[in-house]
Amino acid sequence: MSTSPKILLVCLGNICRSPMAEGLLRDLAERRGLSITTDSAGTSRNHIGEAPDPRAQAEMRQQGFDIGDLRARQFVSADYERFDLLLAMDGSNLRDMLRLAPSAHLATKARLMLDWSTAMAGSDVPDPWYGGAEGFTHVFRLLEDAINNLLDELEEGR
């Protein structure tokens, strides 16, 4: 990975999980003094231009993070060229992303977010869209663990 890695977080609509992950990653990296570039996208085009889900924003605010500035966009094959690491929130997102990979080599940049999880490596970050606030709290905890582990790895690789 480059000195200042570029990391893209990807879910289905880019209004729940991936903006939460982006907000956590950018703010926790900044708190650690790490220089990284973040963005998020959705494999679906259903929410392009929309702010994160109000429940995602509420959970993040409660945890001390503001993601109100983020806006949904669709994942595109050119993201493989622009980013060093593309992190999918679940296996379905990862499969959709891999279908757009320009080459087998670039496809190796796409991974699951929870590959960095302490207890749930290889698992999916569940989509909290259809549930209540507790689903967003659960997603926050999963993301916080995985992102802190990813940042530890990035710090070790300085």
Side-chain angles (χ1 to χ4, degrees), residues 82-104:
R82 290 193 290 253
F83 293 91
D84 301 306
L85 187 59
L86 300 92
L87 298 175
M89 295 301 127
D90 64 41
S92 176
N93 303 144
L94 183 60
R95 284 187 297 280
D96 289 342
M97 292 163 60
L98 291 173
R99 277 195 282 278
L100 294 175
S103 71

Side-chain angles (χ1 to χ4, degrees), residues 120-131:
M120 297 184 61
S123 298
D124 291 348
V125 176
D127 191 342
W129 173 258
Y130 295 104

Side-chain angles (χ1 to χ4, degrees), residues 11-26:
C11 69
L12 180 62
N14 193 210
I15 58 168
C16 295
R17 297 170 291 172
S18 57
M20 289 176 73
E22 181 184 0
L24 265 170
L25 180 60
R26 72 178 180 186

